[in-house]
Amino acid sequence: MATPDRYGLIGHPVAHSKSPAIHGAFAAQTGQNLTYEHILAPLDGFVATMQIFIEQGGKGLNVTLPFKLEAHALADTLTARARMAGAVNTLKMADGQILGDNTDGVGLVTDIESNAGVTLSGKRVLLLGAGGAARGAILPILNARPTSLTLVNRSPDKANALASEFSAFGPIDASAFTALQGVFDVVINATSASLGNELPPVPAHVFGTTTLAYDMMYGNEPTVFLQFAKQQGAKTRDGFGMLIEQAAESFFVWRGVRPDTQKAFPELRASAT
Ligand code: NDP
Protein backbone atom coordinates (compact mmCIF):
# COMPACT_ATOMS: atom_id res chain seq x y z
CA MET A 1 0.00 0.00 0.00
CA ALA A 2 1.22 3.52 -0.77
CA THR A 3 2.43 5.71 2.10
CA PRO A 4 -0.59 7.54 3.53
CA ASP A 5 -0.88 11.30 2.99
CA ARG A 6 -0.34 13.24 6.19
CA TYR A 7 -2.79 15.74 7.71
CA GLY A 8 -3.24 17.17 11.17
CA LEU A 9 -4.60 19.80 13.49
CA ILE A 10 -2.15 22.48 14.63
CA GLY A 11 -2.94 24.50 17.74
CA HIS A 12 -2.06 25.23 21.35
CA PRO A 13 -3.53 23.41 23.20
CA VAL A 14 -4.62 20.69 20.85
CA ALA A 15 -4.73 17.33 22.66
CA HIS A 16 -8.44 17.67 23.60
CA SER A 17 -9.58 17.88 19.96
CA LYS A 18 -11.82 15.23 18.39
CA SER A 19 -10.55 16.05 14.89
CA PRO A 20 -8.30 12.95 14.52
CA ALA A 21 -11.28 10.70 15.34
CA ILE A 22 -13.50 12.62 12.90
CA HIS A 23 -11.03 12.54 10.01
CA GLY A 24 -10.14 8.93 10.81
CA ALA A 25 -13.83 8.03 10.47
CA PHE A 26 -14.13 10.01 7.22
CA ALA A 27 -11.02 8.31 5.77
CA ALA A 28 -12.30 4.84 6.69
CA GLN A 29 -15.72 5.62 5.22
CA THR A 30 -14.38 6.98 1.92
CA GLY A 31 -11.37 4.66 1.56
CA GLN A 32 -8.88 7.55 1.54
CA ASN A 33 -5.30 6.60 2.46
CA LEU A 34 -4.33 9.26 5.01
CA THR A 35 -3.26 9.90 8.59
CA TYR A 36 -4.41 12.78 10.81
CA GLU A 37 -2.64 13.79 14.02
CA HIS A 38 -2.52 16.45 16.73
CA ILE A 39 0.35 18.91 16.20
CA LEU A 40 1.14 21.02 19.25
CA ALA A 41 3.00 24.20 18.20
CA PRO A 42 4.69 26.46 20.74
CA LEU A 43 2.82 29.75 21.12
CA ASP A 44 5.65 31.55 19.29
CA GLY A 45 6.35 28.68 16.91
CA PHE A 46 3.44 28.31 14.51
CA VAL A 47 5.40 29.10 11.34
CA ALA A 48 8.42 26.95 12.27
CA THR A 49 6.22 23.98 13.21
CA MET A 50 4.27 24.29 10.00
CA GLN A 51 7.43 24.51 7.90
CA ILE A 52 8.72 21.26 9.40
CA PHE A 53 5.37 19.63 8.63
CA ILE A 54 5.60 20.81 4.99
CA GLU A 55 9.25 19.70 4.64
CA GLN A 56 8.18 16.26 5.85
CA GLY A 57 5.63 16.09 3.03
CA GLY A 58 2.49 17.08 4.97
CA LYS A 59 -0.48 17.73 2.68
CA GLY A 60 -2.84 19.76 4.83
CA LEU A 61 -3.62 21.18 8.23
CA ASN A 62 -6.58 22.29 10.24
CA VAL A 63 -5.70 25.31 12.34
CA THR A 64 -7.19 26.09 15.71
CA LEU A 65 -6.66 28.63 18.49
CA PRO A 66 -4.60 30.73 18.71
CA PHE A 67 -3.16 30.44 15.19
CA LYS A 68 -6.08 31.15 12.82
CA LEU A 69 -4.94 34.73 12.15
CA GLU A 70 -1.30 33.72 11.62
CA ALA A 71 -2.46 31.07 9.16
CA HIS A 72 -4.46 33.73 7.33
CA ALA A 73 -1.38 35.96 7.08
CA LEU A 74 0.88 33.15 5.93
CA ALA A 75 -1.18 31.50 3.16
CA ASP A 76 -0.01 32.20 -0.42
CA THR A 77 -3.59 32.32 -1.66
CA LEU A 78 -6.91 32.63 0.18
CA THR A 79 -10.40 31.51 -0.74
CA ALA A 80 -13.01 34.31 -0.73
CA ARG A 81 -14.61 32.91 2.43
CA ALA A 82 -11.24 32.85 4.23
CA ARG A 83 -10.44 36.39 3.10
CA MET A 84 -13.75 37.71 4.43
CA ALA A 85 -13.53 35.65 7.62
CA GLY A 86 -10.08 37.16 8.29
CA ALA A 87 -9.05 33.76 9.63
CA VAL A 88 -7.96 30.39 8.26
CA ASN A 89 -8.87 26.99 9.71
CA THR A 90 -7.77 24.90 6.73
CA LEU A 91 -4.43 24.88 4.91
CA LYS A 92 -3.80 22.84 1.79
CA MET A 93 -0.26 22.31 0.51
CA ALA A 94 -0.03 21.68 -3.24
CA ASP A 95 2.49 22.55 -5.98
CA GLY A 96 4.73 24.41 -3.51
CA GLN A 97 1.87 26.75 -2.58
CA ILE A 98 -0.18 27.08 0.60
CA LEU A 99 -3.93 27.62 0.12
CA GLY A 100 -5.81 29.10 3.09
CA ASP A 101 -9.52 28.37 3.51
CA ASN A 102 -12.13 28.76 6.22
CA THR A 103 -14.74 26.03 6.57
CA ASP A 104 -16.19 27.00 10.00
CA GLY A 105 -19.03 29.19 8.70
CA VAL A 106 -20.06 26.77 5.98
CA GLY A 107 -20.00 24.00 8.59
CA LEU A 108 -22.38 26.02 10.77
CA VAL A 109 -24.83 26.73 7.95
CA THR A 110 -24.77 23.12 6.72
CA ASP A 111 -25.50 21.88 10.23
CA ILE A 112 -28.41 24.29 10.65
CA GLU A 113 -29.93 23.71 7.20
CA SER A 114 -29.15 20.07 6.38
CA ASN A 115 -28.97 18.47 9.82
CA ALA A 116 -31.35 20.59 11.93
CA GLY A 117 -33.63 21.09 8.91
CA VAL A 118 -34.00 24.86 9.38
CA THR A 119 -33.71 26.86 6.16
CA LEU A 120 -32.19 30.30 6.72
CA SER A 121 -33.76 31.82 3.63
CA GLY A 122 -36.45 34.34 4.61
CA LYS A 123 -35.64 34.08 8.33
CA ARG A 124 -34.70 36.64 11.01
CA VAL A 125 -31.30 35.58 12.34
CA LEU A 126 -29.61 36.88 15.49
CA LEU A 127 -25.88 36.32 15.94
CA LEU A 128 -24.40 36.84 19.41
CA GLY A 129 -20.69 37.72 19.50
CA ALA A 130 -18.23 39.52 17.25
CA GLY A 131 -15.10 37.39 17.64
CA GLY A 132 -13.47 35.06 15.14
CA ALA A 133 -16.27 32.49 15.07
CA ALA A 134 -18.97 35.13 14.54
CA ARG A 135 -16.96 36.83 11.82
CA GLY A 136 -16.45 33.57 9.93
CA ALA A 137 -20.17 32.81 10.08
CA ILE A 138 -21.43 36.09 8.62
CA LEU A 139 -20.78 35.55 4.90
CA PRO A 140 -22.09 31.95 4.80
CA ILE A 141 -25.24 33.07 6.71
CA LEU A 142 -25.81 36.00 4.33
CA ASN A 143 -25.26 33.67 1.36
CA ALA A 144 -28.20 31.61 2.69
CA ARG A 145 -30.43 34.70 2.13
CA PRO A 146 -32.02 35.46 5.50
CA THR A 147 -34.49 38.36 5.72
CA SER A 148 -32.12 39.97 8.20
CA LEU A 149 -28.98 39.19 10.16
CA THR A 150 -28.59 41.13 13.40
CA LEU A 151 -25.26 41.21 15.24
CA VAL A 152 -25.10 41.91 18.95
CA ASN A 153 -21.97 41.97 21.10
CA ARG A 154 -20.91 42.80 24.65
CA SER A 155 -18.55 45.40 23.17
CA PRO A 156 -20.98 47.07 20.72
CA ASP A 157 -18.31 48.80 18.61
CA LYS A 158 -17.11 45.45 17.29
CA ALA A 159 -20.62 44.44 16.17
CA ASN A 160 -21.12 47.85 14.51
CA ALA A 161 -17.80 47.54 12.66
CA LEU A 162 -18.62 44.03 11.40
CA ALA A 163 -22.08 45.09 10.23
CA SER A 164 -20.53 47.96 8.24
CA GLU A 165 -17.84 45.76 6.77
CA PHE A 166 -20.31 43.13 5.51
CA SER A 167 -23.11 45.50 4.49
CA ALA A 168 -22.50 44.96 0.76
CA PHE A 169 -23.20 41.23 1.11
CA GLY A 170 -26.73 41.27 2.48
CA PRO A 171 -29.23 42.66 5.01
CA ILE A 172 -27.03 42.98 8.10
CA ASP A 173 -27.38 45.33 11.07
CA ALA A 174 -26.02 45.67 14.59
CA SER A 175 -27.92 46.20 17.82
CA ALA A 176 -27.35 46.55 21.53
CA PHE A 177 -28.65 43.64 23.64
CA THR A 178 -31.13 46.00 25.32
CA ALA A 179 -32.44 47.34 21.98
CA LEU A 180 -33.33 43.95 20.45
CA GLN A 181 -36.98 43.75 19.40
CA GLY A 182 -39.31 40.83 18.71
CA VAL A 183 -38.77 37.13 18.18
CA PHE A 184 -35.97 35.73 15.98
CA ASP A 185 -36.23 32.51 13.95
CA VAL A 186 -32.63 31.51 14.63
CA VAL A 187 -30.43 32.71 17.51
CA ILE A 188 -26.78 31.68 17.29
CA ASN A 189 -24.46 31.98 20.26
CA ALA A 190 -20.99 32.67 18.84
CA THR A 191 -19.68 34.17 22.09
CA SER A 192 -17.26 32.25 24.27
CA ALA A 193 -19.49 32.89 27.33
CA SER A 194 -20.50 29.21 27.48
CA LEU A 195 -16.86 28.25 28.12
CA GLY A 196 -17.17 29.98 31.51
CA ASN A 197 -20.76 28.77 32.11
CA GLU A 198 -22.01 32.31 31.55
CA LEU A 199 -25.13 33.47 29.78
CA PRO A 200 -24.74 36.39 27.35
CA PRO A 201 -27.21 39.16 28.29
CA VAL A 202 -29.74 38.09 25.67
CA PRO A 203 -33.38 39.00 26.46
CA ALA A 204 -35.86 36.11 26.81
CA HIS A 205 -38.24 37.63 24.25
CA VAL A 206 -35.95 36.84 21.28
CA PHE A 207 -36.90 33.16 21.66
CA GLY A 208 -40.25 31.83 20.44
CA THR A 209 -41.53 28.28 20.29
CA THR A 210 -40.32 27.82 16.70
CA THR A 211 -36.96 29.52 17.28
CA LEU A 212 -33.81 27.44 16.78
CA ALA A 213 -31.29 28.38 19.49
CA TYR A 214 -27.82 27.27 18.42
CA ASP A 215 -24.70 27.32 20.61
CA MET A 216 -21.41 26.94 18.72
CA MET A 217 -19.99 25.34 21.85
CA TYR A 218 -20.72 21.68 22.55
CA GLY A 219 -20.23 19.31 25.45
CA ASN A 220 -21.77 16.54 27.51
CA GLU A 221 -24.39 18.84 29.03
CA PRO A 222 -26.46 21.62 27.42
CA THR A 223 -24.80 25.02 27.85
CA VAL A 224 -26.44 27.66 30.06
CA PHE A 225 -27.46 29.44 26.85
CA LEU A 226 -29.27 26.36 25.54
CA GLN A 227 -30.88 25.75 28.94
CA PHE A 228 -32.14 29.36 29.00
CA ALA A 229 -33.45 29.13 25.42
CA LYS A 230 -35.23 25.86 26.19
CA GLN A 231 -36.92 27.45 29.21
CA GLN A 232 -38.37 30.00 26.78
CA GLY A 233 -39.73 27.16 24.60
CA ALA A 234 -37.12 27.29 21.83
CA LYS A 235 -35.64 24.28 20.00
CA THR A 236 -31.96 23.82 20.83
CA ARG A 237 -28.83 22.50 19.15
CA ASP A 238 -25.16 22.57 20.12
CA GLY A 239 -22.09 23.03 17.92
CA PHE A 240 -21.06 19.40 17.59
CA GLY A 241 -22.65 19.20 14.16
CA MET A 242 -20.77 22.35 13.15
CA LEU A 243 -17.53 20.64 14.19
CA ILE A 244 -18.37 17.61 12.05
CA GLU A 245 -19.50 19.67 9.06
CA GLN A 246 -16.47 22.02 9.05
CA ALA A 247 -14.29 18.90 9.16
CA ALA A 248 -16.20 17.36 6.24
CA GLU A 249 -15.70 20.56 4.23
CA SER A 250 -11.95 20.56 5.00
CA PHE A 251 -11.80 16.88 3.99
CA PHE A 252 -13.46 17.82 0.70
CA VAL A 253 -10.98 20.69 0.13
CA TRP A 254 -8.07 18.30 0.64
CA ARG A 255 -9.33 15.12 -1.01
CA GLY A 256 -12.10 16.16 -3.40
CA VAL A 257 -14.34 13.57 -1.73
CA ARG A 258 -17.32 14.43 0.49
CA PRO A 259 -17.86 12.12 3.46
CA ASP A 260 -21.38 11.17 4.50
CA THR A 261 -21.65 13.08 7.79
CA GLN A 262 -25.07 11.58 8.59
CA LYS A 263 -23.46 8.16 8.71
CA ALA A 264 -20.50 9.29 10.82
CA PHE A 265 -22.44 11.53 13.23
CA PRO A 266 -23.95 9.00 15.72
CA GLU A 267 -20.70 7.09 16.18
CA LEU A 268 -18.65 10.28 16.62
CA ARG A 269 -21.17 11.86 19.01
CA ALA A 270 -21.17 8.70 21.14
CA SER A 271 -17.36 8.61 21.31
CA ALA A 272 -17.13 12.34 22.09
CA THR A 273 -19.46 12.31 25.11
P1 NDP B 1 -13.26 35.02 20.41
O1 NDP B 1 -12.42 35.05 21.63
O2 NDP B 1 -12.71 35.46 19.12
O3 NDP B 1 -14.59 35.92 20.67
C1 NDP B 1 -15.30 35.80 21.85
C2 NDP B 1 -16.63 36.55 21.74
O4 NDP B 1 -17.42 36.22 22.89
C3 NDP B 1 -16.49 38.07 21.73
O5 NDP B 1 -17.51 38.60 20.91
C4 NDP B 1 -16.73 38.42 23.21
O6 NDP B 1 -17.23 39.72 23.39
C5 NDP B 1 -17.79 37.43 23.57
N1 NDP B 1 -17.88 37.11 25.00
C6 NDP B 1 -16.95 36.49 25.76
N2 NDP B 1 -17.42 36.30 27.02
C7 NDP B 1 -18.67 36.83 27.04
C8 NDP B 1 -19.67 36.97 28.05
N3 NDP B 1 -19.46 36.50 29.29
N4 NDP B 1 -20.85 37.54 27.73
C9 NDP B 1 -21.07 38.00 26.48
N5 NDP B 1 -20.16 37.93 25.48
C10 NDP B 1 -18.97 37.34 25.76
O7 NDP B 1 -13.82 33.50 20.35
P2 NDP B 1 -14.25 32.70 19.03
O8 NDP B 1 -15.10 33.62 18.22
O9 NDP B 1 -13.09 32.06 18.40
O10 NDP B 1 -15.14 31.48 19.64
C11 NDP B 1 -16.45 31.70 20.15
C12 NDP B 1 -17.09 30.36 20.49
O11 NDP B 1 -17.32 29.56 19.32
C13 NDP B 1 -16.27 29.48 21.44
O12 NDP B 1 -17.15 28.94 22.42
C14 NDP B 1 -15.75 28.38 20.54
O13 NDP B 1 -15.55 27.18 21.26
C15 NDP B 1 -16.89 28.24 19.54
N6 NDP B 1 -16.47 27.65 18.25
C16 NDP B 1 -17.04 26.45 17.87
C17 NDP B 1 -16.69 25.85 16.67
C18 NDP B 1 -17.32 24.54 16.29
O14 NDP B 1 -16.84 23.91 15.33
N7 NDP B 1 -18.38 24.09 16.94
C19 NDP B 1 -15.70 26.46 15.77
C20 NDP B 1 -15.19 27.75 16.23
C21 NDP B 1 -15.56 28.30 17.44
P3 NDP B 1 -16.25 41.01 23.48
O15 NDP B 1 -15.97 41.40 22.06
O16 NDP B 1 -17.06 42.01 24.20
O17 NDP B 1 -15.02 40.56 24.22
Side-chain angles (χ1 to χ4, degrees):
M1 198 181 192
T3 308
D5 289 337
R6 197 171 159 217
Y7 296 87
L9 172 71
I10 187 167
H12 186 117
V14 79
H16 63 285
S17 166
K18 310 291 178 212
S19 291
I22 296 170
H23 284 280
F26 289 168
Q29 186 199 82
T30 58
Q32 293 288 307
N33 186 23
L34 59 86
T35 63
Y36 189 104
E37 67 205 87
H38 288 136
I39 300 168
L40 178 68
L43 286 174
D44 61 353
F46 169 71
V47 175
T49 306
M50 210 197 64
Q51 270 163 355
I52 292 169
F53 180 80
I54 293 173
E55 280 161 19
Q56 291 173 343
K59 300 280 189 205
L61 287 169
N62 281 134
V63 184
T64 189
L65 298 176
F67 300 129
K68 290 185 180 185
L69 300 184
E70 272 187 81
H72 181 270
L74 178 138
D76 297 312
T77 48
L78 291 168
T79 60
R81 61 193 182 188
R83 196 168 50 247
M84 288 310 293
V88 156
N89 80 331
T90 305
L91 293 167
K92 179 180 179 178
M93 291 55 153
D95 307 322
Q97 293 279 299
I98 304 172
L99 172 74
D101 199 354
N102 190 311
T103 64
D104 282 334
V106 167
L108 169 75
V109 170
T110 302
D111 191 43
I112 291 174
E113 295 207 312
S114 302
N115 301 338
V118 175
T119 312
L120 293 175
S121 170
K123 302 284 169 59
R124 283 190 88 205
V125 180
L126 177 62
L127 183 61
L128 316 179
R135 187 187 176 93
I138 292 173
L139 194 58
I141 292 173
L142 289 176
N143 286 343
R145 306 201 163 278
T147 303
S148 61
L149 172 60
T150 301
L151 308 183
V152 62
N153 192 48
R154 184 175 61 178
S155 317
D157 289 356
K158 284 197 211 166
N160 291 334
L162 279 182
S164 303
E165 195 179 331
F166 283 87
S167 61
F169 296 93
I172 186 167
D173 62 275
S175 170
F177 279 104
T178 49
L180 288 170
Q181 295 201 342
V183 173
F184 286 80
D185 299 301
V186 180
V187 181
I188 301 164
N189 185 13
T191 75
S192 50
S194 298
L195 289 170
N197 276 326
E198 286 177 37
L199 184 67
V202 59
H205 70 72
V206 302
F207 302 103
T209 52
T210 58
T211 300
L212 174 68
Y214 193 104
D215 199 327
M216 285 195 184
M217 203 181 125
Y218 56 88
N220 293 345
E221 302 296 329
T223 63
V224 281
F225 169 77
L226 292 184
Q227 290 175 33
F228 179 69
K230 196 170 182 185
Q231 282 161 15
Q232 317 314 319
K235 297 177 285 175
T236 57
R237 188 171 180 88
D238 74 14
F240 191 73
M242 174 179 174
L243 175 76
I244 303 285
E245 294 298 346
Q246 63 78 26
E249 187 72 14
S250 296
F251 194 92
F252 179 71
V253 168
W254 293 326
R255 309 297 297 183
V257 176
R258 208 171 273 286
D260 182 343
T261 52
Q262 295 294 324
K263 254 193 211 163
F265 198 98
E267 175 203 333
L268 290 168
R269 178 103 227 186
S271 67
T273 51

